[in-house]
Amino acid sequence: MLGSGWRSGADRPARCHPSLQADLGGLMTGGFRIEIAFAEDGLRRRSQARGAADFSCGNVAVWSREPLQHVDARSIIIGRLFEKFSAVPPAIECPGQVLTAEKGRKLLTDFWGGYVFVHIGRNGAVTIFRDPSGALPCYVKREADGISIAGDITELASPGSGAVDLGEVARVLSSGDARGRRTCIEGIEELIAGECLAVADGKVALESWWTPWDHVTPRANKDFETFAEDLRNIVCGVAGTWSRCFSSILLGVSGGLDSSIVAAGAAPAARGLTCLTLFGPDADGDERRYALAMATHLGLNIREVQREIGDIDVGRASAPNHPWPIVPIGRQTNEAIHERLAREMPVDAYFTGNGGDAVLCSLRSTIPLLDRVLAEGPSARLGTTLRDICLLTGADRRTVLRHAWDRHRRHGGRHQIRFNAAGLQPDAARVARAAGATHPWLRPPRDILPGKTVHAAYLMRTQKSIELYPRAVSPPHVAPLISQPLMELCLSIPTWMWVSGGRNRAVARRAFDSALTSLVTARTSKGGPGGFDLLIYRRNRDRLHDRLRNGLLASEGIFDPALLDRAEDPTWRGVERIQRILEFAAAENWVRWWSGS
């Protein structure tokens, strides 16, 4: 029995709307631009040198290299829109007024995808809505005579003096939770996933059409097994649907749970799917054993490629198309490998399991115990969750109970922003801490269980790093696990179910235990590129230190060179220091690029 009104990919092919079908099978470049003029004659000035618009109505014009679906004369979908339920007619038959009614209720309940919806009312009011997954980037620049919106921040700003918001750079470096609506480029904001930008009579307002808090209530009569079945069906639904949009997919895999369930969900529907696993110089960074076992079990081709230190230039900005300086220097080797493979084989899209830890609620704390106490009160079932957490963390019962009580006593167990002052000048750290959280998903209602505030924070973080390369020159990056239907289901699953049996992401493991090899579903180790990062540092230590000591972050009072003066330490503390230095180096390169240096 399929949950949430889905039919499996095997039972029913995903329905991609007619205007998207023409794009299937060819290499697609992406990106879009929306111009909204406040004055009647302002659109002509704002549209100069852009050529004929792909869509225009009133004081709004749209240019797009993304797939477009014309809903009616006043409404358009940029990106990809899919039906959520089989009984719903195609969106092309739903006028824009229907899709915008009741804060987009029909759009949100009956459809999903990676899209931006544009609607111009008969009174001239403009509605711009970004889907809850945030799969399609959407940045906003407000000016006196209108608004520009684009899917690539380089469409809205150019490198040069004053381009960088250094205060926001300091905030981003202080905490993963510090990123909000503002980007690190002056005057450019992000339209947050699930938000609507409403423009009427020259006034601009932001409306929240979708938030995590609307989906955290457990669904009636659902037990662990039913949730696992629903999760399997929805993963197969969304991964299969995305797969049908491309003829040749390159899927990054590690043999971990997240990328493996994407592979399991996508494989039956994909016309061409090749797995790619990267390995580094140390055992921790070599996950070929798991990746190969997964690919063999599913009957998929796999490429194994070593990370090359020669691909790294520690003086080059990684992903300057990204609006926050958070893309690590080590990512340059991924880019180089992708470029080399693209010359050998067709690649229409890059798929990843990114977002899996967040969406599948990978917890390793006492939060599930707190949630169960608050939700159910004292009961014998608390002993089960206590045992699960002990198995998961390796802590004894007394330690778990003490940590649970301490967390509840301090802040009710709710998610709290953690700041990292290492490497920041004291004044910069103080200002960043004082600003606190600005993202709306970090301001939960009072009656939300603490574990759900943590889950929402995880989702917020993952949506800031889903874009790999500029869409105008590269195949799109698709992360099926952040799809709206899956996020909504996972938010509704009680946190104590996610740690059932002492395994993190337990519901997802159960969902795919028959589709994947046990080597993957039972895996508890976690690999990564940490060893490769250490190699980058050791090969380039002097250059990295020099760039930071004499860089813009130091001269602007953000970076504290005292971080560089500490003695090298072979313990985990020394590894943390090296990773922090590499973070600042990546930010330094990004700031120099945007400053025109």
Side-chain angles (χ1 to χ4, degrees):
M1 179 71 66
L2 292 176
S4 307
W6 283 86
R7 293 182 183 175
S8 72
D11 294 334
R12 171 178 177 262
R15 194 168 185 178
C16 214
H17 288 299
S19 60
L20 307 188
Q21 294 287 356
D23 290 309
L24 302 186
L27 178 62
M28 290 175 285
T29 56
F32 67 90
R33 180 75 172 256
I34 304 171
E35 290 292 343
I36 305 171
F38 293 155
E40 291 185 4
D41 58 349
L43 189 59
R44 182 180 304 164
R45 184 191 69 80
R46 301 186 68 85
S47 303
Q48 287 179 351
R50 298 202 63 84
D54 296 298
F55 170 85
S56 61
C57 178
N59 295 328
V60 178
V62 176
W63 298 261
S64 179
R65 295 180 297 272
E66 303 286 344
L68 288 178
Q69 182 186 333
H70 293 263
V71 178
D72 57 30
R74 295 181 171 273
S75 313
I76 196 168
I77 297 286
I78 304 172
R80 294 177 173 82
L81 185 75
F82 310 111
E83 291 180 19
K84 201 172 185 180
F85 304 102
S86 60
V88 175
I92 202 166
E93 297 177 13
C94 300
Q97 292 88 338
V98 173
L99 296 179
T100 55
E102 299 182 51
K103 301 299 182 189
R105 183 173 179 81
K106 189 174 185 65
L107 190 61
L108 287 168
T109 57
D110 296 355
F111 304 96
W112 66 281
Y115 65 88
V116 171
F117 174 60
V118 182
H119 174 68
I120 299 90
R122 296 191 180 280
N123 61 353
V126 181
T127 297
I128 310 289
F129 173 69
R130 186 184 181 200
D131 92 272
S133 75
L136 191 61
C138 190
Y139 306 111
V140 180
K141 181 179 183 180
R142 306 188 193 195
E143 296 176 298
D145 61 343
I147 296 175
S148 298
I149 302 173
D152 188 327
I153 201 164
T154 58
E155 287 260 342
L156 302 178
S158 299
S161 176
V164 178
D165 184 339
L166 291 166
E168 199 63 19
V169 170
R171 275 174 45 78
V172 166
L173 290 168
S174 74
S175 173
D177 291 337
R179 299 189 297 276
R181 189 169 285 110
R182 290 171 61 180
T183 73
C184 291
I185 303 299
E186 286 284 359
I188 310 294
E189 298 179 339
E190 180 188 36
L191 184 62
I192 290 173
E195 277 190 341
C196 173
L197 184 77
V199 183
D201 300 323
K203 298 179 180 179
V204 182
L206 289 170
E207 302 173 354
S208 179
W209 283 15
W210 187 98
T211 74
W213 320 123
D214 295 332
H215 305 280
V216 296
T217 303
R219 303 184 183 187
N221 302 318
K222 298 281 188 178
D223 59 14
F224 179 86
E225 292 295 332
T226 307
F227 273 125
E229 186 177 14
D230 288 351
L231 190 148
R232 180 179 64 252
N233 291 323
I234 290 181
V235 166
C236 291
V238 297
T241 298
W242 278 115
S243 296
R244 291 184 181 92
C245 292
F246 307 97
S247 61
S248 182
I249 297 167
L250 188 63
L251 168 61
V253 298
S254 63
L257 184 66
D258 303 333
S259 58
S260 296
I261 67 174
V262 170
R271 287 173 287 170
L273 177 62
T274 301
C275 298
L276 169 66
T277 186
L278 308 182
F279 60 95
D282 60 333
D284 193 48
D286 189 346
E287 301 176 283
R288 285 177 289 178
R289 172 193 174 201
Y290 301 99
L292 179 60
M294 179 277 296
T296 301
H297 187 81
L298 295 176
L300 297 173
N301 294 324
I302 185 167
R303 300 287 296 268
E304 300 173 347
V305 182
Q306 185 170 6
R307 300 178 187 274
E308 297 287 350
I309 193 67
D311 292 330
I312 302 299
D313 178 358
V314 296
R316 179 167 72 87
S318 299
N321 63 297
H322 205 282
W324 298 276
I326 62 173
V327 178
I329 290 174
R331 185 76 63 82
Q332 292 177 18
T333 191
N334 299 48
E335 179 181 351
I337 290 168
H338 284 162
E339 288 180 356
R340 288 194 286 269
L341 287 176
R343 291 193 290 267
E344 299 177 18
M345 56 185 288
V347 179
D348 292 341
Y350 298 112
F351 275 39
T352 73
N354 286 9
D357 280 350
V359 176
L360 304 178
C361 198
S362 182
L363 293 169
R364 191 179 177 85
S365 72
T366 61
I367 277 289
L369 183 62
L370 281 180
D371 276 4
R372 196 157 200 178
V373 170
L374 295 171
E376 298 181 350
S379 73
R381 292 187 292 269
L382 292 178
T384 300
T385 301
L386 176 59
R387 182 198 63 205
D388 291 340
I389 295 173
C390 289
L391 289 171
L392 177 65
T393 62
D396 60 60
R397 291 180 175 231
R398 179 175 295 183
T399 300
V400 170
L401 289 170
R402 184 177 73 250
H403 277 274
W405 169 245
D406 287 346
R407 181 160 186 157
H408 178 68
R409 180 173 51 84
R410 288 197 305 270
H411 41 73
R414 292 183 156 214
H415 175 75
Q416 299 293 300
I417 296 181
R418 294 184 179 181
F419 290 92
N420 183 359
L424 285 173
Q425 290 283 3
D427 286 346
R430 187 163 45 250
V431 171
R433 187 180 294 273
T438 60
H439 197 287
W441 293 4
L442 298 183
R443 297 193 290 270
R446 290 183 177 275
D447 59 346
I448 300 297
L449 289 174
K452 293 305 172 184
T453 69
V454 174
H455 201 169
Y458 287 176
L459 292 176
M460 181 280 292
R461 290 178 186 175
T462 200
Q463 288 192 332
K464 299 295 183 183
S465 57
I466 60 173
E467 192 74 0
L468 280 181
Y469 311 126
R471 297 173 72 92
V473 296
S474 174
H477 179 202
V478 179
L481 297 184
I482 66 167
S483 298
Q484 178 192 340
L486 186 60
M487 286 199 301
E488 292 176 353
L489 172 71
C490 292
L491 283 166
S492 74
I493 298 176
T495 53
W496 54 88
M497 289 189 183
W498 289 111
V499 297
S500 180
R503 303 191 301 172
N504 67 357
R505 294 168 289 174
V507 184
R509 293 180 192 274
R510 178 71 182 93
F512 284 89
D513 62 0
S514 62
L516 293 169
T517 171
S518 61
L519 188 65
V520 170
T521 57
R523 183 184 179 190
T524 58
S525 63
K526 182 75 171 179
F532 187 68
D533 290 339
L534 294 180
L535 179 61
I536 293 173
Y537 176 77
R538 288 164 181 156
R539 289 282 185 92
N540 299 276
R541 180 185 180 279
D542 292 344
R543 187 181 179 197
L544 288 165
H545 283 220
D546 182 68
R547 284 182 70 80
L548 286 172
R549 286 187 191 280
N550 302 291
L552 291 175
L553 294 179
S555 66
E556 294 291 342
I558 296 174
F559 177 67
D560 185 354
L563 180 67
L564 306 174
D565 298 330
R566 298 179 191 171
E568 300 291 344
D569 184 346
T571 70
W572 64 267
R573 292 182 180 86
V575 173
E576 282 193 349
R577 169 180 168 271
I578 289 172
Q579 292 289 1
R580 188 64 166 158
I581 290 172
L582 290 172
E583 287 178 18
F584 276 103
E588 174 71 29
N589 293 340
W590 186 95
V591 169
R592 290 194 191 196
W593 191 92
W594 274 101
S595 299
S597 300

